Amino acid sequence: MAFSVVGQWGSLFELETVAVHASLLPNGKVLYWGRRSNPHDTTRDSLNEHFTKSFLWDPFTGASKATATQPKLFGPGAKDVNLFCSGHSFQPDGSLLIVGGHLEDTKGVNQSCIYNPLADTWSAKRPMNEGRWYPSALTLPDGSVLSLSGTFGFIDAEGKSSSSTNIIPQVWRTNTWQPLASPPRNVLLSYPRLHLDPNGRVFMAGPQDQSQFLDVNASGGLGTWTTGPMRKAGAREYGPSVMYDSGKVIYIGGGNDANSGGTPTKMTESIDLKAEKVEWITEASMLFARRQHNATVLPDGSVLVTGGTQGAGFNNLDAGKPVHIPELWNPVTRQWTLMAEESADRCYHAIALLLPDGRVLSAGGGEYSPNNDGWPNLTKDSLTNAQLFSPPYLFKGKGVRPTISSAPSEISYDQPFEVTVDHSDSIDKVSWVRLGSVTHTCNMNQSFMRLDFKQRSRKVIVNAPANANLSPPGHYMLFLLNKEGMPSVAPIVRIGPFHTPAPLNPAVGSAHHATMEKHARASLPALNEKIITEQARPAVVVGLTSICPYGLGPCWGGAHDALQRISDIDVVRPVPDQANSLAFVYLKQDLLPDIDVWRSEFEKTANGSYVMRGFEMTLSGVVNKQRFSAEEQLTLVGTSTRPELPLAPFQASSKIEWDITAQAPKPVSDAEAGAYARLFATLADRGPPVTVQVTGRLQKYGANKFSLDVREFEVVNDAAATSKL
């Protein structure tokens, strides 16, 4: 098919490492880094290096070279730091702020650092409140940068190593970190999809289905969160969102569907933040279901989707599952068109980045431990190669693109500026695309808007964006498109003002700062312990397996949301048991949860991103013996809110504690296997009725028919003999 219809891919070429992180710099070069120094190292634990090797790729020469310096930690000793799984966004001066990074999977570092493209140097900055692994960063209208989410490591109350979400948003302003109020839905998913709305608020489009807004400057600088509309597709991890026009966002695919064996969705949804009624609208579906794909806004406002997998699970690389055929979304027709086929798999840890010449860089993939056991993926799946895509607009008409002979290097808001083109150029559109900064399907810096203009012969008079809410200060690609839709090579233009952001409302006084400090010290582990002490009834334990290989600790936000929406549940503990892949919830009343209803309600929000393995309950009541056929069986007497409950022995299939490495239930101990027999013997010794607190797995074997596999019990009606058996 003609290149003017499907575009064209260039030949594969090699980079110096797997480009997991990539940013287009104001000088036109691409800064990139990966996870480790040798992407083809097959040794165990080679994925946990604690240093970074960053590189510059020059699109004009095709050459890569190491940056002049490499990133370090803040403080004495200047220790190395690994920026893998960090977040990043550009500051108004063109430097790149990087937040978080890698200690080990699920455990982030609290570092922040800046890359200066003019000097080609890294500089360490003050650390954040806690580590952040998989955080997002977003440049705000005043030029400061928001850092949100990410996970950090901690030791839990039982002395086990665990990880938790960093719930404190922080803003980098005046060379320091300032905390903001936590969102009301505390447990965020990793790499939140963030955009600026035309009112200057932060809009969080996903991955959770519940959109949220953050007004950073409200409440005296502490920030205020408000709830936005719900996306219809539910939680969708590893699906990108793109601002394809001013105030307009499209969310594309991702997640896992429960009703299709865990495959991702084709579904896309859009929202207009300037509309009278702000709501998500279902758009035409892609032709391929995708997860782990990238989405790049192009100079004409279309959106190019590259890579991803259509297979079930986290990062399915089975034959035929990676999608090599890109799709192009037209914002006018609202339809998707298939493009020319890419040469390589571009799934987990791949990137895509728009270049000033209108081509798209597609690179990376791999560099993880599929079984979360320290062993890296197959060498063939760590891709150090890259490829350039020329979209169809580069082959339109006579193949002659507009030529910009002069353009300003800096402009000011709401002021016209002049661009000079060739005498034969007839300009039809002018677009303004922020420099991309991408990782993990999340481009934290790209945005698009159209600019009004008038052409007078060779002079094109362009109206700059009206304010920083529409276009935060910094560097942009300025594209001029002719009537055939072919874009010019974009000059990179900086928009100001260029002053240093002012501190947040310093006149508020010490009470405000004390409140901010209180928020800075808050954490999910502390909230978790508070909930435990406040609850009168034992928790219901829910066995959950995340499709994400890193376990329930870092991949917890979607499950937390889904559990909280189950009608019987009152409170969900904000920290799961990562070691055993368990969640803890408290019911609104003393009842037996309907297992089928819980699974159905859970999947409405979480889709197929988790497997609900089972439930364990701790119940108190009188235990009696009843004869069924020739055998006696123990039963827990019913109450006004729950029916009589037959008890049964605990078996291997009863275990809900999970071994994430073996991907199997943990073994049953002798004590657990013998608990029912000991309870039976206790009744024989003492004679029924006996009041006990019994713990075990809840089973459903018919309509409103349940049983409990006894794992342990405690006699509670004889103070002298109270014991856990």
Side-chain angles (χ1 to χ4, degrees), residues 339-675:
M339 296 287 104
E341 187 171 351
E342 193 169 6
S343 299
D345 296 349
R346 301 292 181 207
C347 298
Y348 186 41
H349 289 158
I351 61 94
L353 199 63
L354 177 66
L355 302 176
D357 64 4
R359 294 181 298 172
V360 176
L361 172 68
S362 179
E367 292 297 88
Y368 76 114
S369 178
N371 297 319
N372 197 34
D373 56 3
W375 290 101
N377 54 252
L378 297 175
T379 299
K380 69 178 183 64
D381 294 329
S382 284
L383 303 179
T384 56
N385 57 30
Q387 201 168 9
L388 289 168
F389 180 67
S390 297
Y393 52 56
L394 293 178
F395 305 94
K396 297 290 186 182
K398 299 178 181 179
V400 179
R401 60 199 306 171
T403 301
I404 296 177
S405 57
S406 69
S409 59
E410 293 185 355
I411 63 173
S412 297
Y413 289 106
D414 204 26
Q415 297 294 316
F417 62 94
E418 186 176 283
V419 180
T420 303
V421 297
D422 189 81
H423 65 87
S424 62
D425 290 332
S426 178
I427 303 305
D428 187 57
K429 295 182 178 67
V430 176
S431 62
W432 183 246
V433 184
R434 191 164 169 84
L435 306 185
S437 187
V438 62
T439 188
H440 292 77
T441 78
C442 184
N443 195 318
M444 302 174 211
N445 212 67
Q446 77 173 345
S447 65
F448 175 97
M449 69 180 299
R450 301 185 188 279
L451 300 182
D452 294 331
F453 72 98
K454 293 180 180 178
Q455 183 171 4
R456 297 170 182 165
S457 186
R458 294 184 62 198
K459 303 297 183 182
V460 180
I461 311 302
V462 184
N463 294 331
N467 56 62
N469 294 343
L470 301 173
S471 177
H475 292 78
Y476 292 76
M477 289 178 280
L478 176 67
F479 289 101
L480 276 61
L481 292 82
N482 61 22
K483 295 186 183 301
E484 286 78 33
M486 179 173 282
S488 64
V489 174
I492 294 177
V493 181
R494 184 185 180 200
I495 191 168
F498 312 115
H499 59 266
T500 302
L504 284 175
N505 200 353
V508 173
S510 59
H512 167 72
H513 291 289
T515 301
M516 294 181 82
E517 286 301 314
K518 177 182 177 182
H519 277 270
R521 291 192 299 269
S523 70
L524 289 184
L527 293 174
N528 196 66
E529 293 304 313
K530 184 173 183 290
I531 288 172
I532 292 171
T533 59
E534 290 175 345
Q535 292 296 319
R537 288 199 298 268
V540 176
V541 184
V542 184
L544 291 173
T545 305
S546 173
I547 296 299
C548 160
Y550 304 116
L552 204 56
C555 308
W556 164 235
H560 181 272
D561 257 17
L563 289 170
Q564 195 66 71
R565 294 184 198 175
I566 293 175
S567 54
D568 293 332
I569 292 177
D570 183 31
V571 176
V572 181
R573 280 195 211 164
V575 177
D577 178 349
Q578 183 175 347
N580 293 300
S581 201
L582 304 174
F584 303 88
V585 304
Y586 298 92
L587 304 182
K588 294 176 180 177
Q589 58 179 324
D590 182 24
L591 51 75
L592 297 181
D594 189 309
I595 293 171
D596 296 331
V597 171
W598 275 36
R599 285 198 168 100
S600 175
E601 292 183 350
F602 182 83
E603 289 173 358
K604 285 180 182 177
T605 300
N607 294 306
S609 294
Y610 306 86
V611 175
M612 193 174 267
R613 300 190 309 273
F615 311 92
E616 186 170 278
M617 300 192 72
T618 298
L619 302 170
S620 296
V622 174
V623 174
N624 277 327
K625 289 182 181 178
Q626 290 194 21
R627 182 168 293 279
F628 294 91
S629 300
E631 296 184 358
E632 287 186 315
Q633 183 177 12
L634 302 182
T635 60
L636 186 68
V637 174
T639 68
S640 60
T641 57
R642 58 175 167 82
E644 182 178 71
L645 188 65
L647 304 180
F650 199 80
Q651 305 174 52
S653 60
S654 308
K655 193 79 169 181
I656 65 170
E657 287 87 350
W658 188 253
D659 186 327
I660 188 172
T661 301
Q663 288 294 293
K666 290 189 173 180
V668 174
S669 69
D670 291 342
E672 291 171 333

Side-chain angles (χ1 to χ4, degrees), residues 129-132 148-152 164-170 188:
N129 68 313
E130 270 291 0
R132 296 186 189 271
L148 182 65
S149 191
T151 59
F152 63 93
S164 179
T165 304
N166 190 334
I167 64 173
I168 305 298
Q170 291 179 280
L188 298 175

Side-chain angles (χ1 to χ4, degrees), residues 172-200:
W172 178 250
R173 181 185 272 115
T174 61
N175 206 36
T176 191
W177 287 104
Q178 298 173 336
L180 302 179
S182 301
R185 306 171 74 85
N186 271 329
V187 185
L188 298 175
L189 284 165
S190 299
Y191 282 126
R193 275 43 175 173
L194 305 178
H195 307 274
L196 280 181
D197 89 341
N199 296 314

Side-chain angles (χ1 to χ4, degrees), residues 49-285:
E49 292 177 345
H50 294 130
F51 60 91
T52 302
K53 292 190 71 173
S54 57
F55 299 91
L56 294 172
W57 175 69
D58 188 335
F60 300 100
T61 66
S64 285
K65 67 174 184 177
T67 54
T69 65
Q70 297 294 340
K72 305 287 184 181
L73 288 172
F74 184 81
K79 295 180 180 178
D80 293 327
V81 62
N82 192 342
L83 300 184
F84 170 67
C85 288
S86 59
H88 27 80
S89 192
F90 283 105
Q91 300 191 107
D93 64 357
S95 61
L96 186 71
L97 176 69
I98 298 93
V99 296
H102 182 79
L103 292 174
E104 59 182 272
D105 283 343
T106 79
K107 298 175 176 64
V109 63
N110 65 354
Q111 78 83 38
S112 63
C113 63
I114 288 174
Y115 176 75
N116 182 339
L118 292 177
D120 188 20
T121 56
W122 291 89
S123 58
K125 298 301 176 182
R126 296 180 183 277
M128 297 174 289
N129 68 313
E130 270 291 0
R132 296 186 189 271
W133 191 81
Y134 276 47
S136 287
L138 181 72
T139 305
L140 302 176
D142 67 352
S144 59
V145 178
L146 171 70
S147 177
L148 182 65
S149 191
T151 59
F152 63 93
F154 73 101
I155 302 300
D156 66 18
E158 298 179 2
K160 294 181 292 187
S161 176
S162 189
S163 60
S164 179
T165 304
N166 190 334
I167 64 173
I168 305 298
Q170 291 179 280
V171 173
W172 178 250
R173 181 185 272 115
T174 61
N175 206 36
T176 191
W177 287 104
Q178 298 173 336
L180 302 179
S182 301
R185 306 171 74 85
N186 271 329
V187 185
L188 298 175
L189 284 165
S190 299
Y191 282 126
R193 275 43 175 173
L194 305 178
H195 307 274
L196 280 181
D197 89 341
N199 296 314
R201 299 176 300 175
V202 175
F203 174 63
M204 185 167 69
Q208 285 150 303
D209 59 351
Q210 179 69 71
S211 305
Q212 296 189 62
F213 292 93
L214 169 62
D215 186 339
V216 171
N217 298 310
S219 303
L222 188 58
T224 299
W225 291 86
T226 53
T227 299
M230 299 273 287
R231 282 188 295 101
K232 300 174 179 63
R236 293 291 171 184
E237 294 179 279
Y238 296 98
S241 65
V242 178
M243 182 166 279
Y244 66 91
D245 203 347
S246 181
K248 297 179 179 180
V249 175
I250 183 169
Y251 203 102
I252 304 169
N256 301 91
D257 282 339
N259 58 2
S260 64
T263 58
T265 187
K266 301 177 181 179
M267 188 173 177
T268 68
E269 299 176 80
S270 71
I271 192 168
D272 184 351
L273 300 174
K274 296 188 293 186
E276 184 175 343
K277 184 179 181 182
V278 177
E279 61 180 341
W280 287 98
I281 304 297
T282 302
E283 297 283 355
S285 293

